[in-house]
Amino acid sequence: MSTTSSHPNLVALLTIARREVMRILRIWAQTLVPPAITMTLYFLIFGSLIGSRIGDMGGYNYMDFIVPGLVMMSIIQNSYGNISSSFFGAKFGRHIEEMLVSPMPNWVILGGYVAGAVLRGVLVGVIVLGIAMLFTHVRIPHPVVTITTVLLGATIFSLAGFVNAVYAKKFDDVAIVPTFILTPLTYLGGVFYSVKMLPDWAQTMTHANPVFYMVNAFRYGLLGSSDIPVGIAYALMIGFVIVLGALSLWLLKRGIGLRS
């Protein structure tokens, strides 16, 4: 007897994840191409044109400095967007109820959707990193930090997107958080500047931004430099995964926003 046939939960997990992956690849022109075009424009405008006038930032060429932030920004936005739209679509189409009444544990449902969202974030991140290599020489002095930061960051915002989808009552609700919360957090998370340039009050506010820690941990992985200790960034990211994961499982267990 095969391993998968003897573990129905594993079969269910792989099935949901596979469906999410097929959805991403089937509509690749919507899921993978737009972020690649957007980030290419960022590199051209901010990196090449404006960056040549700015000079160095944090001891690095400006183009090199913004690469980690732009890659992480694309990972965060696409992980969040994938699961919020996909899970809300399942809720709107009423076929999420079939999964809730099935023998599948809640962690299998959550894990399948999160796996698909993380994969999309990673795929987009790889594409954007590949584009960055056309503009500058990308070094990865700390590959373990780079990979783990990508996975943790994608997981955090996948879980956050899941929570958004659970509470959303219409498609407009899915777009509100990315527009009014996620976008400001990413732009003010040290993507385009070093926090050391800011006045004290602005530095304090920036340190309350979770995206700031993810961007700096990823920047340490690619450049070997960070505005904050990497250990603090890891502790915060792991804490977010635990809290958001527990919240997501509780929402599934209670059926909040899912059962009519």
Side-chain angles (χ1 to χ4, degrees):
M1 185 177 292
S2 66
T3 302
T4 54
S5 62
S6 60
H7 294 83
N9 288 341
L10 178 59
V11 174
L13 178 65
L14 293 176
T15 300
I16 298 173
R18 179 175 175 272
R19 187 189 63 195
E20 287 297 294
V21 171
M22 295 306 295
R23 170 183 170 273
I24 294 167
L25 298 179
R26 186 174 64 252
I27 54 173
W28 59 270
Q30 300 175 40
T31 56
L32 302 178
V33 175
I37 295 174
T38 301
M39 290 304 153
T40 300
L41 293 174
Y42 273 120
F43 285 126
L44 282 171
I45 297 171
F46 288 96
S48 298
L49 300 179
I50 298 178
S52 60
R53 297 176 179 272
I54 293 176
D56 289 348
M57 178 74 67
Y60 295 92
N61 176 279
Y62 189 68
M63 175 69 83
D64 294 339
F65 182 84
I66 67 172
V67 166
L70 290 177
V71 173
M72 183 54 68
M73 183 169 73
S74 65
I75 291 169
I76 287 171
Q77 291 176 343
N78 283 275
S79 298
Y80 189 100
N82 188 84
I83 196 168
S84 59
S85 61
S86 178
F87 190 80
F88 181 78
K91 190 174 77 167
F92 185 79
R94 305 301 290 270
H95 59 265
I96 191 64
E97 296 174 2
E98 299 174 2
M99 286 193 281
L100 292 174
V101 299
S102 72
M104 280 191 295
N106 291 329
W107 68 265
V108 171
I109 299 173
L110 179 64
Y113 276 98
V114 169
V118 169
L119 179 66
R120 177 175 168 184
V122 171
L123 284 175
V124 171
V126 170
I127 292 171
V128 174
L129 195 60
I131 293 171
M133 292 179 179
L134 300 176
F135 295 92
T136 186
H137 177 64
V138 177
R139 302 169 297 277
I140 307 180
H142 303 286
V144 175
V145 173
T146 302
I147 294 170
T148 52
T149 300
V150 165
L151 294 177
L152 285 170
T155 301
I156 288 168
F157 282 92
S158 296
L159 292 168
F162 180 86
V163 174
N164 182 192
V166 167
Y167 280 109
K169 290 182 169 41
K170 53 186 184 295
F171 282 101
D172 288 344
D173 295 339
V174 175
I176 288 175
V177 174
T179 302
F180 294 102
I181 298 178
L182 189 57
T183 299
L185 285 178
T186 51
Y187 278 93
L188 298 174
V191 173
F192 298 103
Y193 56 85
S194 171
V195 70
K196 296 175 182 176
M197 297 175 58
L198 303 175
D200 291 341
W201 65 267
Q203 289 191 33
T204 302
M205 290 183 64
T206 301
H207 279 82
N209 183 351
V211 175
F212 167 70
Y213 295 88
M214 299 172 201
V215 168
N216 272 275
F218 193 64
R219 182 169 286 134
Y220 179 81
L222 289 186
L223 299 180
S225 174
S226 173
D227 287 336
I228 45 99
V230 178
I232 294 177
Y234 269 98
L236 192 77
M237 289 189 289
I238 292 170
F240 267 107
V241 169
I242 294 171
V243 171
L244 288 172
L247 175 60
S248 299
L249 290 173
W250 180 78
L251 291 172
L252 279 174
K253 181 180 179 180
R254 296 292 300 271
I256 295 175
L258 302 175
R259 295 188 176 96
S260 57

